[in-house]
Amino acid sequence: MVVGKTNMDEFGMGSHSTNSMHGPVVNQLSTDSPLSAGGSSGGSAVAVMLGDADIALGTDTGGSIRLPASYTGSVGYRPSYGMISRHGVYAYANSLDTVGFLAREVKPILDLLVDTKLIDEHDSNDPTSLSTSSRRRCARACPPALEDWTTITVGVPLEYNIEELDPLIRRGWTAAATALKAAGARVVPVSLPSTKEALCAYYVLAAAEASSNLAKYDGVRYGVRGEGGDAQGHTLYSEARGAGFGAEVKRRILLGTYNLSSKAMDNYFIQAQKVRRLIRNDFDKVFRLDNPLYDVVQFDLSDMDAATSLYDKKGPPQVDFLLSPTTPSFAPKLDDVLSESSLEAYMGDVFTVPSSLAGLPCVSVPSTVEGSALPLGLQLIGQYWDDVRLLKMAERLKALVATESIA
Ligand code: GLN
C-alpha cells in the first residue's frame, strides 16, 4: 500500500534534504535542536523511522539513500547499478542513478528484492536496466548463499580512515570489525588507492550529467514560463531558466556546463572518467568475486609501492565485502548545515561516492557507540550483483552490533 510522497532535495541534489521548496526535512532524534536527516532521500528515512511506512523508496546517485540511513539510524540499500528500474524517476546523473530502499530492518528490503523477483526484472522503459540475459549471466557469477562466518572475509579499506573522521565513528567502525572477527569472520585491511580522488570525480561527472539532463527546462516545453511569460512575468530564456531552479541546482548546472565546455572538457570531464575507471579497478582487485560486467583485471605488481613486503606481493586479499563508516560524522545540527558552504556538504559524501562510481551494491547498517547518543552508519559494499548476499550480511551485521556491547 503506497501511503504518500516524501520531502527531499530538489532533483536529488544535496546531502541534508535542505534544498527543498517545502523547507528542510527534520530528523527528530534529538529533542534539543533539530538535526539533519541526511539527503537527498531524507524524507524517506524519517518516514520509516516514524513508523509511517515499513519501507520507503529512495534514489541514490552518490549516497542519497545511505546518508539519510546513517543519520537517522535506519537501513539504507543502494542496489547494483541497472538492477532496479528507474522508470518514473527524473534523471539527475544517468550513469550513477539508482532506486533503492530504506527500512528499519534489512528483512523487508530483502523480501522485496527476492520474493517479488525484482532482481530478475528487466524494464524496457529504463534504458539502463540490465537485459534478462545479462541478469542471468550476473546471477550465475554470484554464489547462491551466504555461508557461515568462517567462510566470509571482510576488508577494511585503509583509505577511509581519514583525518576528518569523527573519533567516535572510528571507534564504532573498529568495534564492528572486532565483532565480526569474534563471530568468526576473517577481517583484513585492504587498500583502495584511488579513493581520495573519488569525491572530485563524482562532483565533476554528476554536475556534467545534471546540466545536460536539466537543459530541457528552458521555459518552452518544460519549465516555468507560461504564455507571454509566467505569472511573475519571466520570459525566455535566461529568466525562465533562473526562475525555476533553487540555488544548489543552479550551481550544479553552472559547474556541469563549465566541465563540459570545450576549454575544460579534457581537464575535468575526461580526467574524471579516467579516475572512475581506476576506482572500479581498485574494487575489482580486492573482491574475491570477479565483476561479471568486465573482463578480469590482472593483478599488476608494477602498481605496487616498491617498499611493499614480499608477503603482500601475492596480491591484495580477496574479500567478500568491504566495511567502512557510511559518513565521517554523526547527523549535524540543521542550523549548522544551513550556514555551511556547499563544499562542506559535499564532504559528507566522501565514503559513499566511490562505490557509486563503481556501480556496486551497498548498504548502510545502523549501529551505536558509547559516547554518542546518535546512531552511526556502517557501510557494507559488495561486488556487482552480489546484492542478496550483501543484504544477508547486512542482516547479520545489524544483529551482531546490536547484541555486542560496543564500547
Ligand atoms: N549528495 C550527493 C549530491 O548532491 C548525492 C545525491 C544523491 O545521491 N542523489 O550529488
Side-chain angles (χ1 to χ4, degrees):
M1 193 165 53
V2 177
V3 291
K5 269 163 98 164
T6 50
N7 195 5
M8 60 180 285
D9 283 309
E10 189 181 7
F11 291 108
M13 295 175 195
S15 306
H16 297 289
S17 298
T18 48
N19 303 327
S20 165
M21 64 177 287
H22 304 290
V25 174
V26 180
N27 176 357
Q28 280 120 340
L29 277 177
S30 155
T31 43
D32 309 341
S33 76
L35 300 174
S36 159
S40 63
S41 304
S44 306
V46 171
V48 296
M49 289 322 280
L50 290 179
D52 291 341
D54 294 318
I55 193 161
L57 288 168
T59 58
D60 192 310
T61 301
S64 278
I65 288 177
R66 290 162 282 161
L67 220 76
S70 175
Y71 287 170
T72 59
S74 49
V75 177
Y77 159 63
R78 171 194 166 97
S80 292
Y81 176 81
M83 178 181 273
I84 295 179
S85 173
R86 307 185 321 205
H87 180 52
V89 176
Y90 193 88
Y92 160 15
N94 310 49
S95 77
L96 295 152
D97 294 340
T98 57
V99 168
F101 309 110
L102 294 110
R104 292 180 295 280
E105 299 294 334
V106 182
K107 193 174 182 310
I109 299 176
L110 201 49
D111 289 349
L112 188 60
L113 196 70
V114 178
D115 295 352
T116 65
K117 304 227 180 315
L118 212 52
I119 190 164
D120 300 325
E121 219 171 273
H122 166 69
D123 182 1
S124 55
N125 290 313
D126 175 0
T128 64
S129 168
L130 239 66
S131 67
T132 309
S133 59
S134 298
R135 279 168 201 266
R136 264 191 231 123
R137 187 164 47 82
C138 290
R140 274 198 301 272
C142 294
L146 185 68
E147 307 286 346
D148 63 77
W149 283 115
T150 55
T151 65
I152 301 170
T153 304
V154 177
V156 175
L158 297 176
E159 287 77 7
Y160 284 55
N161 188 11
I162 55 173
E163 215 177 296
E164 295 82 359
L165 185 63
D166 187 307
L168 284 177
I169 299 219
R170 187 177 291 118
R171 196 202 282 184
W173 179 24
T174 314
T178 309
L180 284 171
K181 230 188 261 176
R186 194 169 146 244
V187 179
V188 291
V190 295
S191 174
L192 304 170
S194 306
T195 301
K196 47 191 182 306
E197 264 76 58
L199 199 61
C200 302
Y202 170 82
Y203 275 96
V204 168
L205 296 172
E209 294 186 35
S211 77
S212 155
N213 277 321
L214 297 178
K216 69 168 90 148
Y217 285 93
D218 57 5
V220 180
R221 288 178 55 205
Y222 300 92
V224 293
R225 192 187 65 110
E227 275 306 308
D230 68 2
Q232 288 87 40
H234 299 298
T235 50
L236 282 178
Y237 180 87
S238 56
E239 269 197 61
R241 294 277 285 157
F245 296 126
E248 184 58 32
V249 177
K250 283 187 210 165
R251 187 173 298 115
R252 306 284 178 107
I253 294 175
L254 291 174
L255 256 174
T257 309
Y258 176 75
N259 293 340
L260 291 173
S261 68
S262 58
K263 225 170 75 192
M265 181 88 170
D266 287 352
N267 263 343
Y268 293 85
F269 190 72
I270 304 289
Q271 285 294 350
Q273 296 280 28
K274 289 184 183 160
V275 167
R276 185 174 191 174
R277 159 139 345 174
L278 293 176
I279 289 167
R280 204 191 71 212
N281 287 349
D282 277 2
F283 281 117
D284 285 347
K285 271 184 201 163
V286 300
F287 279 124
R288 181 167 68 81
L289 299 179
D290 292 332
N291 188 323
L293 292 182
Y294 306 101
D295 293 337
V296 179
V297 184
Q298 278 297 319
F299 173 62
D300 185 355
L301 275 181
S302 64
D303 289 351
M304 281 195 136
D305 191 330
T308 309
S309 64
L310 207 57
Y311 174 81
D312 292 333
K313 287 206 166 108
K314 282 197 298 195
Q318 303 293 290
V319 307
D320 293 282
F321 308 104
L322 293 164
L323 174 75
S324 80
T326 308
T327 49
S329 66
F330 295 97
K333 289 191 179 121
L334 259 184
D335 281 348
D336 294 344
V337 165
L338 293 168
S339 61
E340 76 182 8
S341 72
S342 289
L343 221 56
E344 285 171 282
Y346 299 171
M347 257 308 291
D349 301 337
V350 65
F351 298 149
T352 53
V353 294
S355 46
S356 287
L357 287 165
L360 301 178
C362 21
V363 193
S364 179
V365 176
S367 180
T368 52
V369 64
E370 205 179 278
S372 168
L374 295 175
L376 69 109
L378 297 167
Q379 177 175 236
L380 283 171
I381 306 172
Q383 179 54 292
Y384 188 76
W385 217 260
D386 201 13
D387 296 49
V388 175
R389 266 187 358 129
L390 175 77
L391 283 166
K392 290 191 173 148
M393 178 69 187
E395 206 169 23
R396 282 195 202 173
L397 176 67
K398 187 167 184 295
L400 195 64
V401 292
T403 52
E404 285 288 317
S405 62
I406 288 190

